[in-house]
Amino acid sequence: MDLKCLNDKNLLQSLREKVKQEREVTLEVLHLLREVERRSLYAKQGFASLFEYCVQVLKYSEGAAQRRISSMRLLKEMPEVEAKIESGALSLTA
């Protein structure tokens, strides 16, 4: 897609759609991480922690890995947070 060919309205609409998809994918990643943790799959792969797995295998920076793990655990404790992440009212950095 040549972005320069999009008119302003379509460009902004496309951006909004991609941001929505990004939030959805982020939530999917958090759910997947939760299941990996529940099954201790990181340990079965030879890693001492989910954090180590995220950094070494998934190639997240240490900060990004910690934000995702913390967010995943918060979702476990407070499922209502999911709607806030999905709506954009709450981000992984907040």
Side-chain angles (χ1 to χ4, degrees):
M1 175 191 313
D2 185 6
L3 299 178
K4 292 178 183 177
C5 293
L6 289 176
N7 66 35
D8 294 352
K9 180 181 176 183
N10 289 339
L11 176 61
L12 293 172
Q13 178 61 33
S14 181
L15 178 59
R16 284 191 296 272
E17 289 171 9
K18 293 300 180 188
V19 168
K20 183 178 185 276
Q21 291 171 4
E22 181 180 38
R23 287 188 194 115
E24 291 168 356
V25 169
T26 296
L27 284 170
E28 288 177 34
V29 168
L30 296 179
H31 289 291
L32 290 166
L33 283 174
R34 178 174 29 189
E35 189 62 16
V36 166
E37 182 176 61
R38 188 185 74 74
R39 296 184 193 186
S40 298
L41 295 180
Y42 59 87
K44 292 175 184 176
Q45 297 293 311
F47 294 94
S49 67
L50 181 59
F51 175 81
E52 185 179 303
Y53 177 83
C54 287
V55 171
Q56 292 186 25
V57 174
L58 302 180
K59 305 300 182 194
Y60 283 122
S61 68
E62 290 183 358
Q66 190 58 55
R67 283 190 299 278
R68 280 158 183 78
I69 292 167
S70 296
S71 296
M72 173 270 296
R73 290 179 179 155
L74 181 63
L75 279 177
K76 242 187 335 190
E77 295 172 21
M78 302 175 65
E80 63 273 13
V81 168
E82 184 167 346
K84 291 182 179 185
I85 293 173
E86 194 168 33
S87 73
L90 189 62
S91 70
L92 299 187
T93 57

